[in-house]
Amino acid sequence: MTAPPIAVVTNIFRPLSTPAESIAALSWLVVGVCLAIFLVVAGLLAYTVVRFRRPAVDLDREPAQVYGSSQIEIAWTVIPILIVIVLTMATARVITEVQDRPRPEDALTVRVIGHQWWWEIRYPSLGVVTANELHIPVSTSSNQRPTFLQLDSVDVAHSFWVPQLAGKTDLIPNHPNWMWIEPKVEGTYIGNCAEFCGLQHANMLIRVVVESEDAFSQWIAHQKTNPPAGQPGEKLFLGLSCVNCHTVAGTSAKGTFGPDLTHLMSRQTLGSGVMSNTSDNLRHWIRDPQTVKPGNLMPNMQLSDREVDQVRDYLMTLE
Ligand code: CUA
């Protein structure tokens, strides 16, 4: 049985991070100016249509003919120029603010690496590797904590987009891109890959978990631990070809093609957001990932029912 898909709630109209807020404010300015222009033009047009419509009687008389008006021509040349200057300057200011954010010495840097179709997440300075769920500290007025993301791809172009946090930035193979986010409200933010990258592009969800400084430190400390060794099912798992693609820290599983499983059960979803991370769903995924997310790189391992259960039970210990 396939679990129902997880709802994606993304809202560009509720920005909660500095770059997204600046971009939204600029958008509203542009919408406001365009709306004012529309109202003036449409209003004048409507007025003219009504005021100068053909009268019901006296059909033969020509209305007064007017040729040219310097004042009006100057007005409709100068006003648009002023509007364009204002919009250009406002846009340049936001672009500078987003692109040239100075990076504080102690800023958190995270590498986000796009794969078909999941996100590898590495904290190089902290020695933590995870997937699909990016944990970062909240930024407050007393403790500003912007997070800088180095974006890479191992295969095709992807795009990192969490609408409430920032605009999109592409992940291009062999061309690291940078972006930063600075959420001011704790919570879980959902985004998606925003560059078509193949069959499961729509199922390449990302979660950003924004938490207090303390909770973030605890999360990091926990992610750095190795899972307890000698769990039931561990031997079977390590004897299967799972280990060629997946890593479980402290074991012989050191593959890097697939997501790091060291703390698999600390994540909310499986398959980059395709379903919630429950015991039943995990079993379903191990049995045949291709029915859950067709085209993904994990093959059906042709395990027996008993083996599927054992591998599932072992993975469930990877908290
Ligand atoms: Cu990755 Cu679309």
Side-chain angles (χ1 to χ4, degrees):
M1 200 188 75
T2 311
I6 293 166
V8 183
V9 185
T10 53
N11 191 348
I12 54 170
F13 298 110
R14 283 195 55 229
L16 291 168
S17 164
T18 313
E21 279 166 355
S22 314
I23 293 166
L26 176 64
S27 309
W28 285 120
L29 173 71
V30 174
V31 168
V33 168
C34 294
L35 188 66
I37 294 171
F38 172 78
L39 289 177
V40 169
V41 172
L44 284 173
L45 185 63
Y47 170 78
T48 311
V49 166
V50 173
R51 173 71 180 75
F52 299 106
R53 70 189 186 281
R54 194 180 210 187
V57 292
D58 201 17
L59 292 178
D60 290 339
R61 192 172 62 81
E62 267 213 349
Q65 301 295 301
V66 179
Y67 295 98
S69 162
S70 301
Q71 284 114 317
I72 290 179
E73 286 189 24
I74 288 171
W76 77 38
T77 306
V78 172
I79 293 174
I81 289 175
L82 291 178
I83 292 173
V84 169
I85 289 175
V86 167
L87 291 182
T88 304
M89 285 168 60
T91 307
R93 194 178 61 82
V94 171
I95 290 175
T96 312
E97 186 187 328
V98 172
Q99 298 214 326
D100 296 347
R101 171 78 150 89
R103 188 191 314 201
E105 283 280 304
D106 60 342
L108 177 64
T109 299
V110 185
R111 279 190 74 198
V112 178
I113 304 159
H115 294 251
Q116 284 174 313
W117 295 276
W118 60 281
W119 309 87
E120 179 180 348
I121 296 168
R122 292 179 168 267
Y123 298 74
S125 57
L126 301 169
V128 165
V129 182
T130 183
N132 304 325
E133 292 175 18
L134 170 65
H135 285 244
I136 57 170
V138 71
S139 189
T140 59
S141 48
S142 59
N143 184 19
Q144 292 195 2
R145 291 280 268 149
T147 299
F148 287 77
L149 305 178
Q150 185 193 338
L151 307 173
D152 265 310
S153 169
V154 296
D155 37 48
V156 299
H158 303 272
S159 188
F160 184 95
W161 190 36
V162 183
Q164 286 186 280
L165 302 186
K168 305 168 186 173
T169 305
D170 283 0
L171 294 81
I172 313 280
N174 300 318
H175 178 86
N177 272 342
W178 284 92
M179 69 182 292
W180 59 281
I181 47 181
E182 190 173 4
K184 294 166 179 167
V185 181
E186 290 173 34
T188 299
Y189 299 83
I190 297 180
N192 202 352
C193 179
E195 179 69 51
F196 182 70
C197 55
L199 185 60
Q200 293 292 341
H201 156 70
N203 283 327
M204 190 169 163
L205 275 65
I206 185 144
R207 283 174 148 63
V208 179
V209 180
V210 179
E211 47 203 3
S212 69
E213 196 72 48
D214 283 351
F216 176 69
S217 305
Q218 278 173 24
W219 181 82
I220 287 288
H222 179 67
Q223 296 289 314
K224 286 170 89 152
T225 60
N226 288 354
Q231 297 292 325
E234 184 192 69
K235 219 171 144 213
L236 171 68
F237 175 81
L238 295 176
L240 293 167
S241 45
C242 310
V243 300
N244 295 335
C245 293
H246 294 287
T247 291
V248 177
T251 73
S252 56
K254 295 190 189 323
T256 53
F257 290 115
D260 187 301
L261 301 178
T262 307
H263 292 283
L264 172 68
M265 297 316 289
S266 72
R267 305 203 278 263
Q268 301 167 15
T269 69
L270 292 172
S272 203
V274 86
M275 57 188 186
S276 49
N277 189 3
T278 63
S279 169
D280 282 349
N281 285 346
L282 185 55
R283 187 178 198 289
H284 189 68
W285 180 273
I286 299 163
R287 165 165 290 290
D288 189 3
Q290 294 301 321
T291 59
V292 183
K293 194 168 176 179
N296 87 80
L297 290 183
M298 178 162 158
N300 183 332
M301 302 294 290
Q302 312 291 346
L303 302 180
S304 69
D305 280 356
R306 237 192 93 219
E307 289 172 325
V308 170
D309 282 341
Q310 285 185 350
V311 169
R312 189 266 315 265
D313 292 346
Y314 169 61
L315 294 181
M316 297 274 296
T317 68
L318 304 179
E319 297 169 333

